[in-house]
Amino acid sequence: MSIIQLKLSHVRRITLLLSLLAFFSLCRSSTDLDYLNPAMTQVGCIEHEREALLQIKSAFTDDPRGKLSSWTGRDCCTDWAGVTCSNMTGHVEELDLSDASLSGTLANLESINLFGNLMNGTIPESLGQLEGLHYLEIGGNHWQGFIRDAHLSNLVNLIHLCLSCSNQSLIFDISTGWNPSFNLFTLCIWDCKLGPSFPAWVASQTNLQVLVLTNTALSGTVPGWIWKLSTQLDYLDLSENHLQGNLPAVLTLKKLSYGFMNLGDNLFDGRLPRLRNISELSLKNNKLSGVMSSDLLGQVPLLFRIDLSGNMLVGNIPKKWDGMDRLEYIDFSGNNLSGEVPEELCLLPSLAWLQLSNNNLSGEPCNSVTKFTSLSSIDLGENGFTGNVPKWRGNYLEEMRLHGNLFKGSLPAELCSLSYLHVLDISHNELSGAIPPCFGKMIGFRESRKLSLSKLQYRIRILSFKMELIMKGNMLMFERNLPLLNFIDLSGNKLSGNIPEQITNLSNLNGLNLSRNQISGHIPENIGLMVNLESLDLSNNALEGLIPASLASITSLSHLNLSHNNLSGPIPTKNQFQTFDDPSIYEANPGLCGTPLLKTCTNPDKHPDKDHLDNSGVSEKMMLVISIVLGFIFGFWAVCGTLAIKRSWRDAYFRFLGI
């Protein structure tokens, strides 16, 4: 609901605004679902929105100008004064009750939910007069201005308070000694300016179960009462602030609870604390140092997710993973960990996401594993792993990144059997041999995967597994869009042989990087079948022949690098090739000509190998003529020569002819 026009006196304006808040709360959830599924939308008045408008009407005790007298029929979109609906969806878009002299009260209003709309401006202080309000959810909007004592002073029954804005445009200006009249169960404040110091009034909220103060400009050390309060919390999020100092020796939440704690993206330092009663923990992007103790996870048997990435941890990964049957998500990337990956970790039955990149790990990772039962994504990039590329199997493996290690040998054919694999990065290793032809049968790169909305939301909002990949010539971080990417990177190895023709079957591939290898032969003529290709890098190889004309038919192609090969002939000029005007993407191919190179083609319509083909054709014709002549000569003399030499055969031949 993006347009609200209200021109009432101050008291009447606030009364109507709060009425509208209740209306938006009723409308929002189904509106979101309808936009997700256009087939469910309808044109005309939507019944539950008509009922919500009638509830607003009932809140007014006096309508002296009869503004609401038309609100009686079934079609609220065309017959009701002040109501405007979308012609596309039928949802109410505008409600204009300005200058209507309406009056009424909302003293009994208990719940307001306006989460995730486009509301802006200041929040009226009269909101604090709603004594009956229990639930106030106005986050996910674009509020501005200040929150002062008066906004919250008389909300004596409030138990749920959540609000946010954008770019910290909403500032909390609460008096130092203010003591709220409510006792909250849930307090969520994010993307607002609450700091730099912790608000003292939060310490009085002895019933708190959920505390979220994310990106609220808090700084300095965390007061002791926060850690004491954490023992009664199910959910604690202080991420994306400037908090510093040591963490307590033990991080704990309420017993027998779900136990979510996020202290990531701060400046905490010191040793890694022990954990207790926590199911999900994020300490990412801090300055924690030292080693992981062997009993780090000893008192968190229900641990589901742990993220310690982006710190300064050293030493080995603990070998004790007993009882961690529920653990699905592990991220230890971006530290200074060394040694080998414990086999006990690799064998966790529920492990689905394993991120160990950017460390100093070595050995042959997960060598005893032949099949992962649950693993979906694994990133072992930028380490010192050795041996052959693992021949892992797994029914759910979707993303594999082994970039920047010391793997050697050939590409295993077992990779072709990973039917759900859609991201494969084994670049910058020491691999050799040819690309297996069976790569053309990898289903994940050939067919569009059906990703349910619930699965995407689970991966994006809950787990946020990320990968750093070189796409379109740049190192990019893929996170929210990783499940949608289809990508193969085998660059920076010693691969040889031809590009298999079968690889053109990968019609759903978005990015292919085979650069910096020793690949020879021609670019597959049918490469145009890879219709979803956006990035193609074949540079620094030994490819020869023409640039296939079918490559110009890939209209999605936006990044191309064919430099440092032995390609020849004219550069295509159709479709996307008109935008590839950087000469460097074709450089070091002596036989190439045409725009954007300075070398012009003497006969652009002539095949570069036509002379060779013509000469070959002439030679073949000459050989045919010579064979016929020689055959005639030998055949002639075989018969006539015999008759001339042998008289008895000659007499018999003439008698046969009657001569």
Side-chain angles (χ1 to χ4, degrees):
M1 313 311 169
S2 58
I3 302 176
I4 304 174
Q5 299 175 351
L6 300 173
K7 300 179 181 178
L8 306 171
S9 66
H10 181 68
V11 174
R12 290 171 179 169
R13 184 186 302 120
I14 300 309
T15 301
L16 182 54
L17 172 61
L18 295 173
S19 301
L20 297 177
L21 296 182
F23 166 65
F24 294 149
S25 172
L26 292 171
C27 295
R28 179 185 172 274
S29 60
S30 63
T31 300
D32 288 346
L33 290 175
D34 290 349
Y35 278 115
L36 286 174
N37 187 0
M40 295 175 61
T41 61
Q42 54 182 310
V43 178
C45 188
I46 296 175
E47 180 62 24
H48 71 269
E49 294 188 7
R50 190 183 72 87
E51 293 176 358
L53 288 169
L54 290 175
Q55 290 183 23
I56 292 177
K57 178 182 178 181
S58 66
F60 297 110
T61 58
D62 190 15
D63 180 17
R65 299 186 181 182
K67 186 78 172 182
L68 304 180
S69 60
S70 62
W71 288 27
T72 57
R74 301 293 301 176
D75 192 352
C76 61
C77 290
T78 57
D79 299 334
W80 292 17
V83 179
T84 304
C85 299
S86 168
N87 292 328
M88 296 293 293
T89 66
H91 290 291
V92 176
E93 284 188 333
E94 181 179 342
L95 182 58
D96 184 356
L97 300 178
S98 59
D99 297 322
S101 299
L102 298 168
S103 62
T105 179
L106 290 172
N108 297 321
L109 186 64
E110 295 183 356
S111 175
I112 296 176
N113 187 347
L114 260 180
F115 180 83
N117 283 286
L118 301 174
M119 300 194 71
N120 52 29
T122 60
I123 299 175
E125 290 186 358
S126 298
L127 183 66
Q129 304 304 315
L130 297 174
E131 296 182 1
L133 199 62
H134 293 159
Y135 186 99
L136 179 59
E137 174 75 72
I138 53 176
N141 287 284
H142 303 291
W143 305 116
Q144 300 172 353
F146 296 88
I147 292 289
R148 296 189 170 93
D149 305 11
H151 286 88
L152 307 172
S153 57
N154 293 321
L155 303 179
V156 294
N157 292 304
L158 194 65
I159 61 174
H160 180 105
L161 173 61
C162 287
L163 56 90
S164 70
C165 58
S166 57
N167 301 319
Q168 297 186 352
S169 57
L170 185 63
I171 302 172
F172 276 75
D173 185 19
I174 304 294
S175 303
T176 303
W178 180 68
N179 190 25
S181 57
F182 49 72
N183 201 341
L184 299 171
F185 287 173
T186 301
L187 174 61
C188 304
I189 302 172
W190 67 97
D191 298 335
C192 301
K193 190 173 182 181
L194 185 62
S197 59
F198 269 84
W201 61 268
V202 177
S204 67
Q205 304 301 293
T206 57
N207 289 335
L208 270 181
Q209 297 177 7
V210 174
L211 176 59
V212 177
L213 304 176
T214 299
N215 191 26
T216 51
L218 295 172
S219 61
T221 58
V222 179
W225 57 264
I226 286 286
W227 302 126
K228 183 178 180 180
L229 186 66
S230 70
T231 60
Q232 71 180 50
L233 297 176
D234 299 320
Y235 197 107
L236 174 62
D237 190 343
L238 304 178
S239 62
E240 299 181 42
N241 286 292
H242 297 90
L243 302 173
Q244 55 187 326
N246 292 346
L247 295 172
V250 178
L251 287 178
T252 183
L253 292 173
K254 181 181 177 181
K255 290 184 178 180
L256 303 177
S257 70
Y258 171 74
F260 177 96
M261 181 180 289
N262 187 356
L263 305 178
D265 297 290
N266 280 289
L267 301 171
F268 292 117
D269 54 21
R271 299 283 180 173
L272 193 64
R274 296 193 305 276
L275 310 177
R276 184 180 300 162
N277 302 327
I278 296 176
S279 295
E280 290 197 46
L281 174 69
S282 176
L283 296 175
K284 68 175 184 176
N285 298 332
N286 280 284
K287 296 183 178 181
L288 300 172
S289 58
V291 300
M292 299 184 192
S293 62
S294 58
D295 61 342
L296 172 68
L297 308 176
Q299 294 180 296
V300 282
L302 301 181
L303 188 65
F304 166 77
R305 173 190 180 190
I306 182 168
D307 188 346
L308 305 179
S309 62
N311 283 283
M312 297 182 288
L313 302 174
V314 297
N316 296 339
I317 298 174
K319 294 184 177 181
K320 187 176 181 180
W321 296 86
D322 300 340
M324 298 285 102
D325 293 346
R326 294 186 56 193
L327 188 56
E328 290 189 12
Y329 183 104
I330 298 174
D331 190 347
F332 293 160
S333 63
N335 285 284
N336 295 310
L337 299 173
S338 56
E340 298 186 357
V341 180
E343 294 298 320
E344 294 83 353
L345 184 153
C346 300
L347 295 171
L348 290 172
S350 299
L351 185 63
W353 289 271
L354 179 59
Q355 170 69 272
L356 300 177
S357 63
N358 291 94
N359 281 288
N360 298 312
L361 299 168
S362 57
E364 299 183 21
C366 302
N367 196 34
S368 63
V369 177
T370 56
K371 182 176 182 179
F372 286 107
T373 56
S374 303
L375 192 68
S376 175
S377 298
I378 184 168
D379 188 349
L380 305 180
E382 286 90 23
N383 280 286
F385 292 118
T386 57
N388 295 327
V389 174
K391 298 180 180 180
W392 297 320
R393 292 181 293 114
N395 295 332
Y396 305 103
L397 195 55
E398 297 182 10
E399 298 118 13
M400 181 191 300
R401 181 174 182 262
L402 306 178
H403 167 91
N405 283 283
L406 301 173
F407 290 112
K408 60 182 181 180
S410 59
L411 290 166
E414 284 77 3
L415 290 172
C416 304
S417 64
L418 300 174
S419 56
Y420 286 94
L421 193 68
H422 66 93
V423 172
L424 176 63
D425 184 354
I426 321 182
S427 60
H428 295 275
N429 281 277
E430 299 179 358
L431 303 178
S432 59
I435 300 173
C438 68
F439 265 47
K441 299 180 180 180
M442 299 177 80
I443 298 175
F445 301 104
R446 296 180 59 179
E447 302 176 2
S448 297
R449 291 167 294 114
K450 295 181 179 179
L451 295 174
S452 65
L453 179 62
S454 60
K455 182 175 181 180
L456 281 175
Q457 290 175 335
Y458 179 72
R459 294 200 56 177
I460 291 172
R461 298 180 183 178
I462 306 300
L463 296 172
S464 297
F465 194 87
K466 58 187 181 296
M467 274 190 181
E468 200 171 33
L469 303 168
I470 299 177
M471 180 74 167
K472 299 185 179 181
N474 298 306
M475 183 68 78
L476 302 175
M477 181 64 72
F478 290 86
E479 188 171 355
R480 293 176 179 269
N481 53 353
L482 182 62
L484 305 176
L485 180 68
N486 297 287
F487 178 78
I488 294 177
D489 190 348
L490 305 177
S491 63
N493 284 285
K494 300 176 182 178
L495 298 174
S496 58
N498 298 337
I499 300 175
E501 289 284 344
Q502 294 87 339
I503 207 167
T504 61
N505 294 329
L506 306 183
S507 58
N508 214 40
L509 195 64
N510 305 129
L512 176 63
N513 191 344
L514 303 179
S515 65
R516 301 185 183 278
N517 281 287
Q518 300 167 11
I519 299 173
S520 57
H522 293 73
I523 300 174
E525 191 66 33
N526 293 326
I527 197 169
L529 296 175
M530 305 173 77
V531 293
N532 288 301
L533 206 59
E534 300 176 19
S535 178
L536 176 64
D537 193 344
L538 303 178
S539 62
N540 291 277
N541 280 289
L543 296 169
E544 59 185 8
L546 291 172
I547 298 175
S550 67
L551 190 59
S553 66
I554 307 177
T555 55
S556 60
L557 192 64
S558 59
H559 176 81
L560 176 68
N561 193 346
L562 302 176
S563 62
H564 296 274
N565 281 286
N566 296 315
L567 299 173
S568 58
I571 297 172
T573 57
K574 295 182 179 180
N575 299 331
Q576 299 301 95
F577 276 84
Q578 297 179 12
T579 65
F580 299 145
D581 53 3
D582 181 3
S584 66
I585 69 175
Y586 304 111
E587 68 182 6
N589 285 283
L592 282 181
C593 60
T595 306
L597 298 179
L598 297 177
K599 181 181 178 181
T600 59
C601 301
T602 55
N603 188 357
D605 296 328
K606 186 175 181 180
H607 193 292
D609 293 327
K610 188 174 181 180
D611 293 339
H612 169 73
L613 293 174
D614 290 344
N615 293 336
S616 175
V618 171
S619 299
E620 291 179 359
K621 291 179 181 178
M622 183 62 70
M623 290 297 296
L624 178 61
V625 172
I626 293 173
S627 298
I628 293 173
V629 171
L630 290 177
F632 174 77
I633 293 173
F634 282 112
F636 177 81
W637 285 107
V639 176
C640 296
T642 303
L643 294 176
I645 296 172
K646 204 167 183 61
R647 181 171 182 176
S648 59
W649 287 23
R650 186 171 60 250
D651 294 341
Y653 176 71
F654 286 134
R655 283 196 301 269
F656 175 76
L657 295 177
I659 298 175

